[in-house]
Coordinates of all heavy atoms in Angstrom, one line a residue:
S26 N 79.5 89.2 111.9 CA 79.4 87.8 111.4 C 80.6 87.0 111.7 O 80.5 85.7 111.6 CB 79.2 87.9 109.9 OG 80.2 88.5 109.2
V27 N 81.7 87.6 112.1 CA 82.9 86.8 112.3 C 83.4 86.9 113.8 O 84.4 86.2 114.2 CB 84.1 87.2 111.4 CG1 83.6 87.1 109.9 CG2 84.6 88.6 111.7
K28 N 82.8 87.7 114.6 CA 83.2 87.9 116.0 C 83.2 86.5 116.7 O 82.2 85.8 116.6 CB 82.3 88.9 116.7 CG 82.5 90.3 116.4 CD 81.6 91.2 117.2 CE 81.9 92.7 116.8 NZ 80.9 93.6 117.5
G29 N 84.2 86.3 117.4 CA 84.3 85.0 118.2 C 84.9 83.9 117.4 O 85.2 82.9 117.9
R30 N 85.0 84.1 116.0 CA 85.5 83.0 115.2 C 86.9 83.5 114.5 O 87.7 82.6 114.3 CB 84.5 82.7 114.1 CG 83.2 82.2 114.6 CD 82.3 81.6 113.5 NE 82.0 82.6 112.5 CZ 82.2 82.5 111.2 NH1 82.9 81.5 110.7 NH2 81.9 83.5 110.4
F31 N 87.0 84.7 114.2 CA 88.2 85.2 113.5 C 89.0 86.1 114.4 O 88.4 86.8 115.3 CB 87.8 86.1 112.3 CG 87.1 85.3 111.1 CD1 86.8 84.0 111.3 CD2 87.0 85.9 109.9 CE1 86.2 83.3 110.2 CE2 86.4 85.2 108.8 CZ 86.0 83.9 109.0
T32 N 90.3 86.1 114.2 CA 91.2 87.0 115.0 C 92.2 87.6 114.1 O 92.9 86.9 113.4 CB 91.9 86.2 116.1 OG1 90.9 85.5 117.0 CG2 92.8 87.1 117.0
I33 N 92.3 88.9 114.2 CA 93.3 89.7 113.4 C 94.4 90.0 114.3 O 94.2 90.4 115.5 CB 92.7 90.9 112.8 CG1 93.7 91.6 111.8 CG2 92.2 91.9 113.8 CD1 93.1 92.7 110.9
S34 N 95.6 89.9 113.8 CA 96.8 90.2 114.6 C 97.9 90.7 113.7 O 97.8 90.6 112.5 CB 97.3 89.0 115.4 OG 97.7 88.0 114.5
R35 N 98.9 91.4 114.3 CA 100.0 92.0 113.5 C 101.3 91.7 114.1 O 101.5 91.8 115.3 CB 99.8 93.5 113.4 CG 100.8 94.3 112.6 CD 100.4 95.7 112.4 NE 101.4 96.5 111.7 CZ 101.3 97.7 111.2 NH1 100.1 98.3 111.5 NH2 102.2 98.3 110.6
D36 N 102.2 91.3 113.3 CA 103.6 91.0 113.7 C 104.4 92.2 113.1 O 104.8 92.1 111.9 CB 104.1 89.7 113.2 CG 105.5 89.3 113.7 OD1 106.3 90.2 114.0 OD2 105.8 88.1 113.8
N37 N 104.8 93.1 113.9 CA 105.5 94.3 113.4 C 106.9 93.9 112.9 O 107.4 94.5 112.0 CB 105.6 95.4 114.5 CG 104.3 96.0 114.8 OD1 103.4 96.2 113.9 ND2 104.0 96.4 116.0
A38 N 107.5 92.9 113.5 CA 108.9 92.6 113.1 C 108.9 92.0 111.7 O 109.8 92.1 111.0 CB 109.4 91.5 114.1
K39 N 107.8 91.4 111.3 CA 107.7 90.8 110.0 C 106.8 91.6 109.0 O 106.6 91.2 107.9 CB 107.0 89.4 110.1 CG 107.9 88.4 110.9 CD 107.2 87.0 110.9 CE 108.1 86.0 111.6 NZ 107.5 84.6 111.6
N40 N 106.3 92.8 109.5 CA 105.4 93.6 108.7 C 104.3 92.8 108.1 O 103.9 93.0 106.9 CB 106.2 94.3 107.6 CG 107.3 95.2 108.2 OD1 107.1 95.9 109.2 ND2 108.5 95.2 107.5
T41 N 103.7 92.0 108.9 CA 102.7 91.1 108.5 C 101.5 91.1 109.4 O 101.6 91.2 110.6 CB 103.2 89.6 108.4 OG1 104.3 89.6 107.5 CG2 102.2 88.6 107.9
V42 N 100.3 91.1 108.7 CA 99.0 91.0 109.5 C 98.4 89.6 109.2 O 98.5 89.1 108.0 CB 98.1 92.1 109.0 CG1 96.7 91.8 109.6 CG2 98.6 93.4 109.6
Y43 N 97.9 89.0 110.2 CA 97.3 87.7 110.0 C 95.8 87.7 110.3 O 95.3 88.6 111.1 CB 97.9 86.7 111.0 CG 99.4 86.6 110.9 CD1 100.3 87.3 111.7 CD2 100.0 85.7 109.9 CE1 101.7 87.2 111.6 CE2 101.3 85.6 109.8 CZ 102.2 86.3 110.6 OH 103.5 86.2 110.5
L44 N 95.1 86.8 109.7 CA 93.7 86.6 110.0 C 93.5 85.1 110.3 O 93.5 84.3 109.4 CB 92.8 87.1 108.9 CG 91.3 87.0 109.1 CD1 90.9 88.0 110.2 CD2 90.4 87.2 107.9
Q45 N 93.3 84.8 111.6 CA 93.1 83.4 112.0 C 91.6 83.2 111.9 O 90.8 83.9 112.6 CB 93.6 83.2 113.4 CG 93.3 81.8 113.9 CD 94.1 80.7 113.1 OE1 95.2 80.9 112.8 NE2 93.4 79.6 112.8
M46 N 91.2 82.2 111.1 CA 89.8 82.0 110.9 C 89.4 80.6 111.4 O 90.0 79.6 110.9 CB 89.4 82.1 109.4 CG 89.8 83.4 108.8 SD 89.3 83.6 107.1 CE 90.2 82.3 106.2
N47 N 88.6 80.5 112.4 CA 88.2 79.2 113.0 C 86.7 79.0 112.8 O 85.9 80.0 112.5 CB 88.5 79.2 114.5 CG 90.0 79.3 114.7 OD1 90.8 78.9 114.0 ND2 90.3 80.0 115.9
S48 N 86.2 77.8 112.9 CA 84.8 77.5 112.8 C 84.2 78.0 111.5 O 83.2 78.7 111.5 CB 84.0 78.0 114.0 OG 84.5 77.5 115.2
L49 N 84.9 77.8 110.4 CA 84.5 78.3 109.1 C 83.2 77.8 108.7 O 82.9 76.6 108.9 CB 85.6 78.1 108.1 CG 86.8 79.0 108.2 CD1 88.0 78.5 107.5 CD2 86.5 80.4 107.7
K50 N 82.4 78.6 108.0 CA 81.1 78.3 107.5 C 81.1 78.5 106.0 O 81.9 79.3 105.4 CB 80.1 79.2 108.1 CG 80.1 79.2 109.6 CD 79.1 80.3 110.1 CE 79.0 80.3 111.7 NZ 78.1 81.3 112.2
P51 N 80.2 77.8 105.3 CA 80.1 78.0 103.8 C 79.9 79.5 103.4 O 80.5 79.9 102.4 CB 78.9 77.1 103.4 CG 78.9 76.1 104.5 CD 79.3 76.7 105.7
E52 N 79.2 80.2 104.3 CA 79.0 81.6 103.9 C 80.3 82.5 104.1 O 80.3 83.7 103.8 CB 77.9 82.2 104.8 CG 78.0 82.0 106.3 CD 77.2 80.7 106.7 OE1 77.2 79.7 106.0 OE2 76.5 80.8 107.8
D53 N 81.4 81.9 104.6 CA 82.6 82.6 104.7 C 83.4 82.5 103.3 O 84.4 83.1 103.2 CB 83.5 82.0 105.8 CG 83.0 82.3 107.2 OD1 82.5 83.4 107.4 OD2 83.0 81.3 108.0
T54 N 82.8 81.7 102.4 CA 83.5 81.6 101.1 C 83.5 83.0 100.4 O 82.5 83.6 100.2 CB 82.7 80.6 100.2 OG1 82.8 79.3 100.8 CG2 83.2 80.6 98.8
A55 N 84.7 83.4 100.0 CA 84.9 84.7 99.3 C 86.3 84.8 98.9 O 87.2 84.0 99.3 CB 84.5 85.8 100.3
V56 N 86.6 85.9 98.2 CA 88.0 86.3 98.0 C 88.3 87.3 99.1 O 87.5 88.3 99.3 CB 88.2 87.0 96.6 CG1 89.6 87.5 96.5 CG2 87.8 86.0 95.5
Y57 N 89.3 87.1 99.8 CA 89.7 87.9 100.9 C 90.8 88.8 100.5 O 91.9 88.4 100.0 CB 90.2 87.0 102.1 CG 89.0 86.4 102.8 CD1 88.3 85.4 102.2 CD2 88.6 86.8 104.1 CE1 87.2 84.8 102.9 CE2 87.6 86.2 104.8 CZ 86.8 85.2 104.1 OH 85.7 84.7 104.8
Y58 N 90.6 90.1 100.8 CA 91.6 91.1 100.4 C 92.2 91.8 101.7 O 91.4 92.1 102.6 CB 90.9 92.2 99.6 CG 90.3 91.8 98.3 CD1 89.0 91.3 98.2 CD2 91.1 91.8 97.1 CE1 88.5 90.9 97.0 CE2 90.6 91.4 95.9 CZ 89.3 90.9 95.8 OH 88.8 90.5 94.6
C59 N 93.4 92.1 101.6 CA 94.1 92.8 102.7 C 94.3 94.3 102.2 O 94.5 94.5 101.0 CB 95.4 92.2 102.9 SG 96.5 93.1 104.1
N60 N 94.2 95.2 103.1 CA 94.5 96.6 102.8 C 95.4 97.2 103.8 O 95.4 96.8 105.0 CB 93.3 97.4 102.4 CG 92.5 97.9 103.6 OD1 92.9 97.7 104.8 ND2 91.4 98.5 103.4
A61 N 96.1 98.3 103.4 CA 96.9 99.1 104.3 C 96.5 100.5 104.1 O 96.6 101.0 102.9 CB 98.4 98.8 104.0
A62 N 96.2 101.2 105.1 CA 95.7 102.5 105.0 C 96.7 103.5 105.6 O 97.3 103.3 106.7 CB 94.4 102.7 105.8
T63 N 97.0 104.5 104.8 CA 97.9 105.6 105.3 C 97.0 106.9 105.4 O 95.8 106.8 105.1 CB 99.0 105.9 104.3 OG1 98.5 106.4 103.1 CG2 99.8 104.6 104.0
R64 N 97.6 108.0 105.7 CA 96.8 109.3 105.8 C 96.3 109.7 104.4 O 95.3 110.4 104.3 CB 97.7 110.4 106.4 CG 98.0 110.2 107.8 CD 98.8 111.4 108.4 NE 99.0 111.3 109.8 CZ 99.7 112.2 110.5 NH1 100.1 113.3 109.9 NH2 99.9 112.0 111.8

């Protein structure tokens, strides 16, 4: 549902992950959660 509109990227120097969201639609309305997975 987000392919071609959203881009995820990571800046290791800042320990930060980004989600660039373009061409947003009303159905994208939500609470967005980030997670970090370890072993």
